[in-house]
Amino acid sequence: GARRRRRDVQIVGRDAEMAIARAAFDLVTRNHRGVVLHVNGEDGVGKSRFVDEVLDHVRAHGDLFLLEGGCVPYGEANVWYPIATALSTYLDLDPSADADSAREVGLERARRLFPAIAATDAEKMVEVFMHLLGYPSAIDKLDAARARSTIHRAVTRVFEARAEDRTMVLSIDDIHWADPLLLDLLDSLVAAVGKHAFMLITAMRPGAEVAWPPPTDRTTTISLTLQPLTRADSDELAAELLEETADEILLAALYERSGGNPLFVHELVA
């Protein structure tokens, strides 16, 4: 029969991990606690697919703010790219707009987010948005320490304000490629918003020179390491992909060659 695309196939062998992720989200929504859910695993083991399933569960909750971003390995000069893409999507900012248009829209969004904000504070916040999105801004003229504190203050202010109204979820994929400046911001964000209904979901492969997740007593941190599939789960996945009854010899060979790695099973069956 016709082979099925990876996202079309039901996730296999992750029931226990999904139960933990759902319980973590319950902790956020019911207890208004900050939670970091960190997903670890080798390439192809299904980190991004697992996070997709978690986010589907999160979206079903309905009344929340969800922001998504991802780190890239190369070719992106803006170290803030993951948080910038998440915020620009959330604030409905066009990243391709010219600087003047972006500043005008950013100012309108800042006033909408904070109706009582002073004009000078709104302008400072917009300068941070501009900087995160890669535009020239007043932040460029600050020394490193002042730039850091200004960026952290503005971003945490947005997240705190939103998390007071509704549950807020931020998902950053491939964090093993994150710049230390971005990790520092996320660490600060977790510490500042930890007493609100806020969930940070991150995913990375092991062995990266990245100190994450951060040690903190201000929020609950849950680290899940996705293991290769068991033989039974590998057989179930193969049967779904093949859409036909597979013989024992084929199933055994698929498991032996893939090592239980879901991506390898998909590629071998394709």
Side-chain angles (χ1 to χ4, degrees), residues 62-108:
D63 192 28
L64 53 78
F65 296 108
L66 172 60
L67 292 81
E68 298 177 68
C71 303
V72 292
Y74 53 82
E76 179 51 62
N78 184 2
V79 300
W80 307 109
Y81 176 78
I83 198 83
T85 52
L87 279 172
S88 60
T89 301
Y90 169 62
L91 297 171
D92 196 24
L93 301 173
D94 180 3
S96 65
D98 62 70
D100 289 341
S101 299
R103 184 172 270 105
E104 186 179 332
V105 173
L107 201 56
E108 186 272 325

Side-chain angles (χ1 to χ4, degrees), residues 169-250:
V169 179
L170 171 64
S171 175
I172 304 288
D173 201 3
D174 292 326
I175 209 162
H176 45 271
W177 287 320
D179 187 274
L181 284 171
L182 176 65
L183 294 175
D184 187 39
L185 174 60
L186 293 177
D187 193 353
S188 175
L189 195 58
V190 167
V193 195
K195 293 181 181 178
H196 298 276
F198 173 67
M199 187 175 201
L200 173 61
I201 302 172
T202 57
M204 69 182 280
R205 63 186 180 211
E209 295 178 6
V210 171
W212 190 265
T216 176
D217 56 3
R218 297 193 187 185
T219 190
T220 300
T221 300
I222 299 166
S223 288
L224 291 175
T225 298
L226 299 185
Q227 303 291 348
L229 299 177
T230 63
R231 168 64 196 273
D233 291 332
S234 174
D235 289 357
E236 182 183 343
L237 176 59
E240 274 206 64
L241 290 167
L242 291 164
E243 294 187 318
E244 57 195 32
T245 304
D247 62 62
E248 177 64 23
I249 294 173
L250 174 58

Side-chain angles (χ1 to χ4, degrees), residues 97-174:
D98 62 70
D100 289 341
S101 299
R103 184 172 270 105
E104 186 179 332
V105 173
L107 201 56
E108 186 272 325
R109 298 291 189 274
R111 287 173 178 147
R112 188 197 300 173
L113 278 171
F114 304 99
I117 194 170
T120 53
D121 288 341
E123 287 166 9
K124 286 178 185 176
M125 185 169 285
V126 170
E127 289 304 314
V128 171
F129 289 156
M130 296 292 287
H131 182 75
L132 294 178
L133 292 167
Y135 294 102
S137 74
I139 306 300
D140 301 330
K141 300 171 186 173
L142 302 179
D143 62 55
R146 283 198 63 198
R148 174 189 180 277
S149 63
T150 303
I151 291 167
H152 286 206
R153 196 160 49 244
V155 173
T156 54
R157 185 175 182 181
V158 170
F159 276 78
E160 280 187 298
R162 298 294 85 187
E164 283 177 2
D165 297 336
R166 274 184 256 175
T167 298
M168 192 156 203
V169 179
L170 171 64
S171 175
I172 304 288
D173 201 3
D174 292 326

